[in-house]
Amino acid sequence: MNEFQTILADSVARLMGHEVDRHLLEAAETGAFPDKLWAALEANGLTRILVPEAMGGTGGTWSDARIVLSAAGKASAPGPIAETLVAGFLLAQAGITPPEGPLTLIEGELTLANGTLSGTAKHVPWARAATHGVAMVSRHGASQVLLVPLGESRAGEADNIAREPRDSLTFGNVAVQAAATALPENALRLYGALARACQMAGALDYLTTQSVAYANERSQFGKPIGKFQAIQQQLAVLSTQAAAAGMAASYGCASADKAGEGHDPAFEIAIAKIRADDAAGIATSIAHQVHGAIGFTYEHALHFATRRLWAWRAEYGAGREWAKWLGAGVIARGADNLWSDVTAR
Amino acid sequence: MQTFRFDLCELPEETKGLRNDVRQFLARELADVPAHLRALTWSGSDPAFSRKMAAQGWIGMTWPKQYGGHERSAFDRYVVIEEMLAAGAPVGSHWIGDRQSGPLLLRFGTEEQRQLILPKVAKGECFLCIGMSEPDSGSDLAATRTRADKVEGGYKVNGTKLWTSGAHRAHYMIALFRTHSDPQNKHAGLTQFLVDLKTPGITIRPIRDLTGHAHFNEVVFEDVFVPDAMLVGSEGSGWGQVTAELAYERSGPERYLSSFILLVELIRRLEQEGGSEAEAEIGRLVAHLVTLRQMSLSVAGMLEAGENPALEASVVKDLGAIYEQDMALKAHEMIGAMPAMGDGDAFENVMGQITQISPSFSLRGGTREILRGIIARGLGLR
């Protein structure tokens, strides 16, 4: 991390510690938007890290965004933080100045005709709280980024298993702002996956810290359970999985920062999501096992992180989806190109 | 709580030319080596190959020129060894001396010891082994019992080292002996020595492993005289010196590339057979490979910066060993071909090799349980 990133990490951690508490997490699960947290994030420019300064943003990189996203994931911070960052990134890349306020990302069966959007979208994060969403369409291989006012399009409210809003939208000839972009046609899913991988790395960090703390304070058989080798070995595995997911997320972001100039970051971004997904399966299982029955209660905070990991690993492409894409590409390139491809990046 | 630090470390642009040189060298030298022998990587020995590498200046790359080294960066060395391992070059003869004993002598050795050993190692003419484990001292290294008792002008050594890889082909051993017994503090009183394996009283007996070949040995010391001048570092500081060595031993590319040849042959097989069920599994294997490489590079970057990433090195080794070991099972699940002992096709032969040697991946260089104990201590659990 450079000096700016060290300062950023400290200030984001402090902001999360100050703004995110048990009360906020519970309130968000019953549908309340985290207004105060959001205001603090906006006041610090953290919702527009990936928007250039000329468009009113902070002009940061994906490596900077990773710090914010991982800190948010570590705190289980509610709100469309990742979605707003990615939406701002996509809009800026297409030359559209992002509007104020929380934004969301729209994936669905969408068609653009004469500047109006029609179709349906499900599982749209926080659509009930956002004024605008970002969608992408492509025709003849040319991608377009759309800034979509949500207005009357909200068609139903639902939650993912982390009780994060995932709403339905129906569009009937909604006028949108569209702009061509050099981004690939799957850019929304791709950068959505990268953002989730960063959040997951943070949540996995939390599982390590929380599980180690619990093992040191919970006593059975006359000593803290963390003194038993069986528990120590499990926690070591949990921590190495978190470390690997963190490394893969950093690598994915560094690659995203090199996009353009003949560099396609999809390989590293796919790896980040695959590695986070694999780590999540192992880490959530160990964290819950170490916590025992108390960790299975709603009262204990562990589930705010584990339920997010179980939801996020499936969003913007599960590990399996990205692994299939990556593996098909590797096999098509052939055995003898694997090593030179890995080392050339 | 201490957490791990894995910052990204990018190889310098100027390593690219070197990488190309190594590839051309390997394409030439390994053209006729079958895949199941390349699958041995650093367990495979070929003194002639080591001398050819030395002639290229690829052994002792980072060492000072006055000791036969080449004063290249740690990243140059990293590129050379990862290329060697990925291609399955038989680097076993010089491996220990280049990776571990050379750096140890540069750090703790005397001028005489360095002049005696390092130039020959860098020429590919002197091979080393490491005498740590004993019959009653495996993971519990501090239980070392082989004694070095002070006598006129040196020490008299009695005891047995076990599982010493490559001792039957090595010229010298860096050995950990007990010079002082204190039941209250068994970590104290351990001392490292540089032992000439031609010294009278040393008997080296190769031990056949489950593959039918002999890679490791029993080395018996009976009244073996080791001169004072061959004491490495300071008497009683052996434990600290050994621990310092381990960061070099535990994070290199050899900790996740041991099954790489199998991955290559697996992909070749899938190219021929087609079928899409295996795609996701290959994608996962490549994702983990790339992540491990970045973690290993990150530790290399910290070593180059003079830091002590002992904890991070243990993380890399534990994750790497799981990865290397899972490869044979994954390949079996995907293909289900009969593993062969040299009479099958390339994939079947490599399956035969890797399936058999893979148990050693989580034993050598510190067992899985020991590494996880080190990690747990780093987490604040012990």
Side-chain angles (χ1 to χ4, degrees):
Chain A
M1 290 205 288
N2 60 35
E3 198 180 338
F4 167 72
Q5 289 171 335
T6 308
I7 295 166
L8 178 64
D10 286 348
S11 67
V12 177
R14 208 164 332 119
L15 186 153
M16 293 296 170
H18 199 249
E19 297 295 337
V20 182
D21 59 14
R22 171 89 202 185
H23 178 72
L24 183 75
L25 290 174
E26 281 196 38
E29 298 217 333
T30 56
F33 188 81
D35 293 305
K36 194 159 160 285
L37 166 66
W38 194 263
L41 290 167
E42 280 193 335
N44 286 280
L46 299 175
T47 57
R48 296 172 160 251
I49 286 215
L50 294 168
V51 177
E53 289 178 48
M55 287 184 177
T58 320
T61 63
W62 268 100
S63 298
D64 302 333
R66 178 187 64 79
I67 291 166
V68 176
L69 290 166
S70 291
K74 188 166 184 171
S76 295
I81 302 170
E83 292 78 1
T84 302
L85 283 182
V86 175
F89 171 75
L90 297 172
L91 290 170
Q93 292 289 308
I96 301 175
T97 300
E100 297 288 319
L103 303 172
T104 188
L105 300 171
I106 305 167
E107 282 186 300
E109 302 294 318
L110 305 172
T111 48
L112 180 71
N114 303 319
T116 68
L117 184 72
S118 296
T120 58
K122 279 184 176 174
H123 309 302
V124 182
W126 295 92
R128 69 191 75 165
T131 57
H132 291 77
V134 168
M136 287 186 71
V137 293
S138 70
R139 201 157 46 179
H140 311 307
S143 309
Q144 290 193 77
V145 171
L146 315 180
L147 175 60
V148 184
L150 298 185
E152 304 304 307
S153 308
R154 298 185 182 91
E157 296 190 350
D159 293 341
N160 67 11
I161 61 169
R163 318 280 201 282
E164 295 177 303
R166 296 294 185 262
D167 300 335
S168 298
L169 300 173
T170 302
F171 302 103
N173 292 316
V174 174
V176 299
Q177 190 179 349
T181 173
L183 291 167
E185 61 182 37
N186 72 339
L188 189 152
R189 198 166 182 77
L190 188 66
Y191 289 98
L194 180 59
R196 285 288 182 267
C198 293
Q199 291 173 288
M200 290 175 76
L204 288 161
D205 247 3
Y206 165 78
L207 291 193
T208 305
T209 317
Q210 167 57 33
S211 301
V212 168
Y214 182 77
N216 276 332
E217 77 194 26
R218 168 71 173 169
S219 273
Q220 288 286 274
F221 307 104
K223 55 183 177 180
I225 60 171
K227 296 292 172 198
F228 292 99
Q229 287 194 356
I231 303 290
Q232 291 173 358
Q233 299 267 310
Q234 290 295 306
L235 290 174
V237 173
L238 164 55
S239 71
T240 59
Q241 290 297 322
M247 182 91 266
S250 298
Y251 192 46
C253 288
S255 179
D257 286 330
K258 290 190 218 159
E261 304 145 29
H263 177 81
D264 175 4
F267 182 81
E268 288 80 10
I269 293 176
I271 286 169
K273 188 74 201 289
I274 294 165
R275 197 61 189 83
D277 189 343
D278 285 346
I282 298 168
T284 52
S285 146
I286 293 174
H288 274 293
Q289 192 65 29
V290 167
H291 278 80
I294 194 74
F296 192 64
T297 62
Y298 192 82
E299 185 191 349
H300 196 282
L302 182 65
H303 62 85
F304 290 113
T306 55
R307 284 186 292 119
R308 276 168 173 74
L309 284 165
W310 293 324
W312 292 345
R313 69 182 176 186
E315 293 183 336
Y316 303 110
R320 182 182 161 75
E321 175 181 318
W322 290 108
K324 211 165 150 47
W325 172 80
L326 187 71
V330 165
I331 295 168
R333 285 278 296 153
D336 292 325
N337 284 318
L338 172 62
W339 182 249
S340 51
D341 286 355
V342 164
T343 51
R345 300 193 65 92
Chain B
M1 185 183 101
Q2 186 180 354
T3 46
F4 317 127
R5 213 185 106 206
F6 283 102
D7 289 344
L8 278 176
C9 172
E10 204 164 338
L11 285 168
E13 190 69 18
E14 56 267 24
T15 56
K16 284 191 173 158
L18 173 62
R19 192 184 290 283
N20 273 333
D21 294 345
V22 178
R23 283 188 185 162
Q24 281 171 20
F25 170 84
L26 289 170
R28 214 163 50 232
E29 295 297 328
L30 301 183
D32 301 323
V33 182
H36 66 284
L37 293 183
R38 285 188 279 115
L40 287 170
T41 62
W42 53 294
S43 318
S45 299
D46 180 353
F49 182 84
S50 291
R51 282 192 295 275
K52 284 180 191 165
M53 263 187 77
Q56 300 288 329
W58 294 338
I59 300 180
M61 286 179 78
T62 61
W63 306 350
K65 287 186 174 160
Q66 65 193 106
Y67 305 119
H70 304 279
E71 300 186 2
R72 307 282 293 262
S73 77
F75 296 124
D76 283 348
R77 177 175 179 274
Y78 194 96
V79 164
V80 169
I81 62 171
E82 74 168 351
E83 287 297 322
M84 293 286 161
L85 294 164
V91 290
S93 296
H94 65 268
W95 189 255
I96 299 294
D98 178 61
R99 176 185 73 185
Q100 207 160 338
S101 306
L104 178 88
L105 290 174
L106 281 171
R107 188 157 170 199
F108 297 112
T110 64
E111 185 61 23
E112 182 192 348
Q113 291 164 357
R114 294 173 186 173
Q115 292 293 356
L116 174 70
I117 297 291
L118 299 182
K120 286 189 284 187
V121 172
K123 280 186 195 156
E125 291 169 359
C126 175
F127 306 133
L128 285 103
C129 62
I130 296 184
M132 287 201 196
S133 295
E134 297 184 6
D136 295 317
S137 167
S139 287
D140 184 8
L141 186 58
T144 292
R145 284 208 308 217
T146 298
R147 297 188 54 83
D149 295 318
K150 193 75 192 85
V151 294
E152 178 72 31
Y155 294 80
K156 190 177 71 180
V157 179
N158 280 287
T160 302
K161 289 291 174 187
L162 199 60
W163 320 129
T164 312
S165 295
H168 57 313
R169 287 189 282 251
H171 304 94
Y172 287 87
M173 173 190 283
I174 302 278
L176 185 68
F177 297 142
R178 183 162 293 289
T179 45
H180 175 73
S181 290
D182 176 0
Q184 300 305 311
N185 185 3
K186 61 183 189 172
H187 294 86
L190 295 171
T191 305
Q192 286 187 299
F193 291 89
L194 175 61
V195 181
D196 184 343
L197 291 174
K198 293 190 303 292
T199 313
I202 297 177
T203 311
I204 299 172
R205 206 166 53 80
I207 301 167
R208 280 214 306 171
D209 62 32
L210 60 81
T211 68
H213 299 284
H215 295 288
F216 50 30
N217 300 268
E218 179 190 63
V219 184
V220 178
F221 297 83
E222 291 168 296
D223 290 335
V224 174
F225 178 76
V226 179
D228 283 331
M230 292 297 109
L231 189 153
V232 179
S234 54
E235 189 177 293
S237 300
W239 182 261
Q241 292 174 203
V242 163
T243 311
E245 253 177 87
L246 292 176
Y248 290 93
E249 187 183 336
R250 286 184 171 155
S251 62
E254 72 274 23
R255 295 307 180 188
Y256 68 93
L257 285 174
S258 305
S259 297
F260 184 72
I261 300 288
L262 176 56
L263 178 60
V264 170
E265 293 308 320
L266 172 62
I267 292 169
R268 199 185 312 287
R269 183 91 172 211
L270 291 167
E271 278 177 64
Q272 295 153 4
E273 292 191 353
S276 63
E277 310 98 90
E279 285 169 354
E281 205 50 66
I282 293 296
R284 287 191 62 238
L285 288 170
V286 171
H288 286 241
L289 174 82
V290 170
T291 305
L292 281 162
R293 179 165 183 263
Q294 292 306 313
M295 296 179 93
S296 170
L297 274 169
S298 175
V299 176
M302 287 188 264
L303 286 171
E304 172 75 350
E307 296 165 40
N308 178 17
L311 192 56
E312 285 79 4
S314 296
V315 172
V316 173
K317 182 171 172 350
D318 188 40
L319 285 169
I322 296 170
Y323 178 74
E324 294 177 336
Q325 268 175 348
D326 276 355
M327 191 77 75
L329 176 61
K330 294 274 160 58
H332 170 69
E333 287 171 349
M334 276 185 262
I335 306 292
M338 189 69 76
M341 303 250 298
D343 57 354
D345 66 19
F347 172 75
E348 293 158 353
N349 291 337
V350 173
M351 267 302 276
Q353 191 78 275
I354 296 293
T355 303
Q356 291 186 84
I357 65 175
S358 60
S360 70
F361 299 164
S362 56
L363 301 174
R364 60 189 186 191
T367 64
R368 171 170 296 147
E369 289 71 23
I370 288 292
L371 293 170
R372 290 182 181 171
I374 292 169
I375 294 164
R377 189 191 301 276
L379 292 171
L381 286 163
R382 294 173 64 194

